[in-house]
Amino acid sequence: MESNQALLAIAETLLQQKIAPFAAVIDNDPEALRSALQELGNASLLGLRIPQHWGGAEVDGITFRFFQEIVARCSGALAFLQAQHQSAGSLLARSENEALKQQYLPYMNSGQALVGISFAHLRRTPSPIKAIAVPGGYQLNGQAPWVTGAGCFQTFIVAAVLPNEQVVYGMVPFQSTRQETGGAIVCSDPMQLAAMTSTGTVTVEFQDWLLSAAQVVQVEPLAAIAKSDRLNVLHHSFFALGCARAGLDILERTYQQKQLGFIQTACEALAQELAACRQAIFTATTEGNHSPSNLFATNLQLRAWAIELAVRCAHAAIAASSGAANSNQHPAQRIYREALVYTVSGQTAAVMEATLARLTFSTRLTQI
Ligand SMILES: Cc1cc2nc3c(=O)[nH]c(=O)nc-3n(C[C@H](O)[C@H](O)[C@H](O)COP(=O)(O)OP(=O)(O)OC[C@H]3O[C@@H](n4cnc5c(N)ncnc54)[C@H](O)[C@@H]3O)c2cc1C
């Protein structure tokens, strides 16, 4: 596994020193989260998948996964928010709309331009957002059920399904606004979530919104999302791995305070399992570059393992922290809540099935 060690070392130092100690406030306070995101921008870490000639860091896939894992270990809210922007950067970098690329890409690595995404609804049938071709572009109607980054990102890339089973991806403002043509974007208030409330996750309503051709990022078949879900099934696992590690960090600290041998025993056993799960996922990710599709079944199981392990490590941190873990401010509780988000983010029907199968299997083992 090769990676860009220098960049990762810079990222890790920054995250451990400037982000991890403030994870509780970053989870809750949008201003603190925005500052944390800007710390990443100041270190040129917000355009990791953007080519260098567009001002990005252009790191390889493995380096990017290590990075996602380290951020998730230090702050779930920051990991989740920056992931949306990094995805927008990758997508825009693949666009053929050179003018739009020129407008955004050179400013994304530093965080001068901050962009969200809204694609998850493409997995629903029928899609809640539809588009039709009109003179000069497309008209969008419907609701984007999840868009993260309200109040922080200036724009987001929304995906809308066309009558011919193609999908148009376009750049839209991330605020309630009205067009002269009568079109409107209406953002809800931020959702009150169990975790990562600071991320400003909203639903966005499109009413006859005119997406001009100049704002179109790409048009591709609807089937592409299912193909990408199969190829990239492991991508969300790295957040779960970082979250599991964060749970173990607490377990280790609790052992230092309480000096109870069984906490150390539990910590060592979980750390060993995490190392095995992590190794399997990184190996599969490296191999996946060469033979992507036939590994799908195994990769699904690895994703489910990472999800379940994140929840178990967080739960172990809670058990070892005793009653104090019930305080909203306790890190063990925050990490448990973050594990809840990673259980469902980027979920497909196949991932849901694998997650439930793994949980059912554990239950059966307990009964024996
Ligand atoms: C806090 C938070 C923030 C988020 N932010 C963003 C964001 O910024 N951008 C973004 O794009 N996404 C975002 N998401 C979406 C996230 O990735 C989704 O949680 C995930 O894709 C699951 O979507 P869903 O919960 O809407 O479930 P659904 O889409 O309803 O279902 C999940 C899977 O089950 C399948 N399914 C559901 N019902 C049926 C059925 N009746 N028959 C067959 N199959 C079915 C769906 O096809 C899909 O594959 C966010 C989610 C959360 C929780």
Side-chain angles (χ1 to χ4, degrees), residues 28 34 69 95 101 116 118 138 144 148 151 161 181 213 222 227 251 266 278 291 298 330 337 341 351-353 357:
N28 238 316
R34 213 192 326 249
E69 184 188 22
S95 171
K101 286 160 80 165
S118 181
Y138 298 88
T148 291
V161 178
T181 52
L222 178 58
K227 194 173 163 201
L251 212 52
R278 195 171 175 274
S291 55
T298 313
H330 197 283
R337 291 186 274 113
V341 176
V351 170
M352 187 195 293
E353 185 182 4

Side-chain angles (χ1 to χ4, degrees), residues 84 116-122 129 143-148 156-160 169 204 206:
Q84 316 301 320
I117 53 167
S118 181
F119 316 153
H121 54 271
L122 290 177
I129 311 184
Q143 191 188 60
W146 305 100
V147 199
T148 291
F156 69 97
I157 300 173
V158 66
Y169 291 75
V204 179
F206 291 86

Side-chain angles (χ1 to χ4, degrees), residues 80 84 117-120 123-124 146 148 201 344 346-349:
F80 201 71
Q84 316 301 320
I117 53 167
S118 181
F119 316 153
R123 302 187 186 106
R124 293 189 188 176
W146 305 100
T148 291
T201 298
V344 296
Q347 187 189 58
T348 62

Side-chain angles (χ1 to χ4, degrees), residues 180-227:
E180 282 176 10
T181 52
I185 284 179
V186 182
C187 299
S188 74
D189 288 336
M191 296 178 203
Q192 292 304 304
L193 300 166
M196 310 181 190
T197 296
S198 57
T199 57
T201 298
V202 297
T203 58
V204 179
E205 190 83 34
F206 291 86
Q207 297 161 0
D208 296 336
W209 181 260
L210 178 64
L211 177 72
S212 74
Q215 299 302 314
V216 171
V217 176
Q218 66 175 29
V219 177
E220 69 170 19
L222 178 58
I225 182 98
K227 194 173 163 201

Side-chain angles (χ1 to χ4, degrees), residues 74-315:
C74 295
S75 160
L78 181 60
F80 201 71
L81 186 70
Q82 63 82 37
Q84 316 301 320
H85 173 83
Q86 305 268 12
S87 294
S90 307
L91 186 79
L92 203 49
R94 293 196 301 272
S95 171
E96 289 176 4
N97 186 338
E98 295 300 317
L100 199 61
K101 286 160 80 165
Q102 186 61 56
Q103 192 183 340
Y104 286 95
L105 287 177
Y107 311 102
M108 288 183 76
N109 201 20
S110 62
Q112 284 168 276
L114 292 168
V115 185
I117 53 167
S118 181
F119 316 153
H121 54 271
L122 290 177
R123 302 187 186 106
R124 293 189 188 176
T125 313
S127 170
I129 311 184
K130 294 196 165 39
I132 52 169
V134 294
Y138 298 88
Q139 190 185 62
L140 272 51
N141 273 291
Q143 191 188 60
W146 305 100
V147 199
T148 291
C152 181
F153 297 161
Q154 300 102 4
T155 53
F156 69 97
I157 300 173
V158 66
V161 178
L162 291 156
N164 62 358
E165 297 288 289
Q166 297 282 308
V167 179
V168 57
Y169 291 75
M171 193 71 81
V172 293
F174 201 164
Q175 60 181 26
S176 296
T177 181
R178 194 164 280 282
Q179 294 175 308
E180 282 176 10
T181 52
I185 284 179
V186 182
C187 299
S188 74
D189 288 336
M191 296 178 203
Q192 292 304 304
L193 300 166
M196 310 181 190
T197 296
S198 57
T199 57
T201 298
V202 297
T203 58
V204 179
E205 190 83 34
F206 291 86
Q207 297 161 0
D208 296 336
W209 181 260
L210 178 64
L211 177 72
S212 74
Q215 299 302 314
V216 171
V217 176
Q218 66 175 29
V219 177
E220 69 170 19
L222 178 58
I225 182 98
K227 194 173 163 201
S228 147
D229 279 342
R230 281 180 72 86
L231 277 176
N232 302 328
V233 64
L234 282 173
H235 284 187
H236 286 267
S237 316
F238 300 94
F239 299 106
L241 292 175
C243 182
R245 186 61 247 175
L248 296 189
D249 289 343
I250 294 175
L251 212 52
E252 265 170 27
R253 284 203 298 273
T254 313
Y255 168 67
Q256 298 303 333
Q257 289 158 7
K258 299 190 175 172
Q259 291 293 314
L260 294 168
F262 54 79
I263 296 181
Q264 189 183 29
T265 307
C267 193
E268 282 170 4
L270 287 167
Q272 221 170 39
E273 185 180 342
L274 177 58
C277 179
R278 195 171 175 274
Q279 176 68 39
I281 287 176
F282 272 103
T283 304
T285 303
T286 316
E287 286 169 357
N289 293 334
H290 307 294
S291 55
S293 60
N294 55 359
L295 297 170
F296 182 59
T298 313
N299 290 349
L300 263 179
Q301 287 179 16
L302 291 176
R303 168 101 170 255
W305 186 11
I307 287 171
E308 189 227 2
L309 191 52
V311 178
R312 261 194 294 133
C313 289
H315 201 182

